[in-house]
């Protein structure tokens, strides 16, 4: 039985529409959701939730705690390796990255390949303790092949399949933590001092 030409065209159009609906609406929605999930926040806590930070690099291990006098400056105090007020601008820069930072992509890789990303001997480890005593950790490895991102682990854990999640995060994290101890300290206010002078200038007297 030969179908009329118009009927055949209608059948082809129906099949084409069905394929479009499947690949765009159904399959496409899944792909779009996967892309959306790839760029997700590293952590879900807020800045005010954080009670303390420990930043460990190849140079120093720095312990920071929120100032219990919340209405006074500085907001953060250095507890080790020295004691004193912290540079709020420097700490806020790191906090902003931790709170708002996103992972560009997540790679699932065997745990034995940690060394490929320098996560077995990281350039920095950040331990975060919240006011509710929950803890989080961010481990920073080396840069990726084009230097645009850092390999990292957030709250590292081995999945049931034996793999681990490796994140791609901003290189700003390296800039935020790889600092000298002097940079973490609150700057000294020299606005009332003249450069190079350890004693005040004498008061001029009128000569007769």
């Amino acid at each position: 039985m030969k179908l009329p030409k118009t009927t055949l065209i209608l059948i082809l159009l129906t099949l084409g529409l069905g394929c479009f609906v499947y690949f765009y609406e159904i399959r496409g929605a899944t792909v779009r959701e996967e892309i959306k999930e790839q760029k997700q926040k590293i952590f879900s806590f807020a800045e005010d939730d954080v009670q303390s930070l420990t930043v460990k690099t190849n140079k120093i291990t720095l312990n920071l705690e929120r100032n219990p006098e919340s209405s006074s400056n500085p907001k953060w105090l250095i507890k080790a390796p020295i004691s004193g007020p912290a540079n709020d601008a420097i700490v806020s820069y790191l906090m902003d990255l931790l709170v708002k930072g996103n992972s560009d992509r997540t790679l699932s890789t065997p745990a034995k390949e940690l060394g490929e990303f320098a996560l077995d001997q990281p350039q920095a480890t950040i331990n975060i303790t919240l006011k509710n005593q929950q803890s989080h950790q961010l481990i920073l490895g080396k840069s990726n092949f084009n230097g645009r991102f850092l390999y990292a682990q957030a709250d590292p854990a081995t999945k049931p399949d034996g793999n681990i999640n490796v994140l791609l995060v901003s290189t700003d994290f390296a800039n935020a933590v790889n600092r000298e101890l002097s940079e973490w300290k609150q700057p000294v206010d020299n606005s009332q001092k003249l450069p190079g002078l350890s004693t005040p200038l004498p008061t001029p007297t009128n000569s007769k």
Side-chain angles (χ1 to χ4, degrees), residues 35-99:
I35 294 173
K36 181 181 178 181
E37 289 178 355
Q38 285 176 352
K39 290 191 176 183
Q40 58 185 343
K41 289 182 68 174
I42 301 171
F43 298 112
S44 59
F45 54 78
E47 181 176 350
D48 288 342
D49 296 334
V50 179
Q51 177 61 34
S52 64
L53 294 170
T54 298
V55 179
K56 182 178 181 181
T57 68
N58 294 328
K59 293 182 178 180
I60 60 171
T61 297
L62 183 80
N63 294 331
L64 297 161
E65 285 190 10
R66 187 178 293 277
N67 192 341
E69 302 294 334
S70 57
S71 60
S72 63
N73 287 321
K75 295 180 181 178
W76 291 90
L77 302 173
I78 300 175
K79 307 302 288 186
I82 61 171
S83 295
N87 187 325
D88 280 340
I90 296 296
V91 180
S92 293
Y93 177 55
L94 174 58
M95 283 296 306
D96 194 60
L97 290 171
L98 292 170
V99 171

Side-chain angles (χ1 to χ4, degrees), residues 111-187:
K112 63 182 180 180
E113 294 182 4
L114 272 178
E116 297 294 322
F117 309 98
L119 290 167
D120 57 339
Q121 296 181 335
Q123 62 170 298
T125 301
I126 306 167
N127 291 303
I128 306 120
T129 302
L130 306 184
K131 292 177 180 178
N132 62 7
Q133 299 306 306
Q134 289 185 359
S135 60
H136 296 276
Q137 186 180 65
L138 184 67
I139 302 173
L140 302 176
K142 67 179 183 180
S143 301
N144 70 330
F145 70 96
N146 59 14
R148 292 182 57 201
F149 300 100
L150 293 178
Y151 294 116
Q153 280 186 288
D155 294 335
T158 303
K159 298 188 293 183
D161 61 2
N163 287 354
I164 57 171
N165 283 335
V166 176
L167 313 181
L168 286 176
V169 302
S170 171
T171 55
D172 288 341
F173 277 101
N175 300 328
V177 298
N178 288 315
R179 299 179 180 276
E180 300 292 337
L181 178 59
S182 59
E183 296 181 77
W184 291 101
K185 295 161 55 178
Q186 185 184 61

